[in-house]
Amino acid sequence: MKKVHFHIMDRKRGIKVSKMKRNKISLVVFLVISNVLMGCAFGKKEKNYQTNMPEVCEKELRSCFGEDYVLSEGVEKEERFFDEMESVELIKQYTEWALTYQDASNQECIFVFTNACGINQEQEYIEKSIESYFSDLVQQYYRRNFWDKTITQIPGCKEQDSKLYVKPYKLFVLQDVPETSVMFDERIQYSLTENVYFPQLRYDAIFSEFPYTLDLYLYVTYESEKEGERAGQRQDTEIKVREMIEEMIHYTNGSLNATVHITMMDKNGYADGFSMAILHGEYFEDNLGTSYEIALHESFFGPIKRK
C-alpha cells in the first residue's frame, strides 16, 4: 500500500509543509512557551557570600602554609542549582582565592579555597578545606608512585571501580566497647590545621606524623569459571597487592598504616573476597575490626585511659 502524504500550502511563501512537520513545529512552539511560562512561575533564591576569608583565616593559613605564600586576587564565582522540591532556582555567588607556596621539593603548589560558608563558620570551613586538600595531595602521591602501576599488572582488575583513599582515623562509639568513647573524644579534639605545615610535608612520614590511614579498595573479575584457575588468580592478586604493600612499607620506613579490601567478582557479581590490615608496617594478625582500630589509635594518641 502506498503511503499517503497530506500537505498544506504556506500562502505567503508558497511552500508545501507536511502535516507531520507542522505538528513538530507546533510542539516546539508549545515547549518554548511552556518553558518561558514555567521560568516566570518559578522563584529564585540568591545567596551572596562576602566574607574576606584570607583576612578572617589568616592565622590558620600562615600556620599551615608559612609566611611566604602568595595569594591571588579574589575571583567572583557563581553557581546555579534547581531545587525540584521547592521549584526554585538557587543562585550562589562567592569568591575564590588561589594560595601558592613552595613544598619540600621546591615545587610550586596551589591551594584553592572559597568563602562559601555561613557567618561564624569560617574557621571550621577552612579547616575542612585544608583537610580535603591534604588528603588529595597524599592520595595523588601514592596513586602515582605505587597504586597505578600495580593495578595495571593484576589480570581482571576493574580499574575504574578500584580506589585508593587517605582518610583520618574513624569516628565511632560502640556501647559495649568503652575504649571507643575515649577514642572518639581524643580524635574529635585533634586539629590537622594545628599540626600540618605544607612547605615541609614529607610523604614518607604521613602515617607517623598524622592520624591518617591508607585505605585500598580493589575489585577483580574472575577470568574463569573453574575453581582451580580462580584460586590461582586470587593467589596472584594477593601476591601483587602484597608486593605493593611491601614497597610502601619500605618507603615509609615501617610506619605504614593501611587497610586493604579485595573483592573478587564474576558474572553474578560478588564471588568472594579477603582483606588485610597493616599497623606500623606489619600485618595485623586480627585483621580488620575493633581491635585494629584500638591498636591504631593507641599507636598515635598513646594508651587509652579508661573512663
Side-chain angles (χ1 to χ4, degrees), residues 216 237-250 254-262 274-288 292 295:
L216 315 178
T237 298
E238 182 174 354
I239 290 174
K240 288 287 193 302
V241 171
R242 286 183 180 271
E243 288 175 349
M244 177 184 65
I245 294 298
E246 290 301 322
E247 289 182 11
M248 292 180 177
I249 290 173
H250 177 74
S255 64
L256 178 67
N257 294 321
T259 64
V260 185
H261 312 263
I262 301 175
F274 54 97
S275 59
M276 310 173 197
I278 297 88
L279 178 65
H280 275 322
E282 297 183 0
Y283 288 93
F284 193 71
E285 292 183 359
D286 293 339
N287 212 330
L288 301 175
Y292 173 75

Side-chain angles (χ1 to χ4, degrees), residues 209-220:
E209 294 185 358
F210 307 99
Y212 278 72
T213 59
L214 197 65
D215 296 337
L216 315 178
Y217 296 85
L218 191 69
Y219 292 86
V220 180

Side-chain angles (χ1 to χ4, degrees), residues 188-304:
I188 203 69
Q189 292 175 16
Y190 177 85
S191 171
L192 180 66
T193 56
E194 294 177 2
N195 292 276
V196 67
Y197 186 63
F198 287 100
Q200 295 180 2
L201 184 66
R202 291 175 46 205
Y203 294 103
D204 60 340
I206 292 297
F207 307 103
S208 59
E209 294 185 358
F210 307 99
Y212 278 72
T213 59
L214 197 65
D215 296 337
L216 315 178
Y217 296 85
L218 191 69
Y219 292 86
V220 180
T221 301
Y222 278 123
E223 298 182 320
S224 173
E225 295 291 331
K226 299 178 180 180
E227 183 52 41
E229 294 179 359
R230 286 189 171 199
Q233 184 180 354
R234 186 165 58 246
Q235 184 179 27
D236 289 342
T237 298
E238 182 174 354
I239 290 174
K240 288 287 193 302
V241 171
R242 286 183 180 271
E243 288 175 349
M244 177 184 65
I245 294 298
E246 290 301 322
E247 289 182 11
M248 292 180 177
I249 290 173
H250 177 74
Y251 172 72
T252 59
N253 298 311
S255 64
L256 178 67
N257 294 321
T259 64
V260 185
H261 312 263
I262 301 175
T263 300
M264 305 300 294
M265 315 280 291
D266 60 19
K267 63 182 180 181
N268 297 316
Y270 175 84
D272 57 72
F274 54 97
S275 59
M276 310 173 197
I278 297 88
L279 178 65
H280 275 322
E282 297 183 0
Y283 288 93
F284 193 71
E285 292 183 359
D286 293 339
N287 212 330
L288 301 175
T290 305
S291 59
Y292 173 75
E293 293 294 335
I294 292 175
L296 180 66
H297 181 91
E298 290 188 322
S299 71
F300 186 85
F301 290 96
I304 295 174

Side-chain angles (χ1 to χ4, degrees), residues 133-189:
Y133 177 68
F134 173 84
S135 292
D136 288 344
L137 275 183
V138 182
Q139 285 169 189
Q140 290 170 15
Y141 184 86
Y142 278 85
R143 282 178 189 149
R144 183 173 63 252
N145 291 280
F146 301 97
W147 177 256
D148 289 345
K149 67 178 182 179
T150 297
I151 63 176
T152 57
Q153 298 173 359
I154 297 177
C157 178
K158 298 171 69 67
E159 296 183 26
Q160 295 299 319
D161 297 325
S162 300
K163 304 294 181 183
L164 176 153
Y165 299 101
V166 173
K167 297 180 179 179
Y169 293 178
K170 295 178 182 177
L171 285 172
F172 66 96
V173 175
L174 300 177
Q175 295 289 337
D176 56 342
V177 185
E179 294 91 339
T180 60
S181 178
V182 179
M183 290 160 55
F184 183 91
D185 291 342
E186 291 183 347
R187 293 181 186 184
I188 203 69
Q189 292 175 16

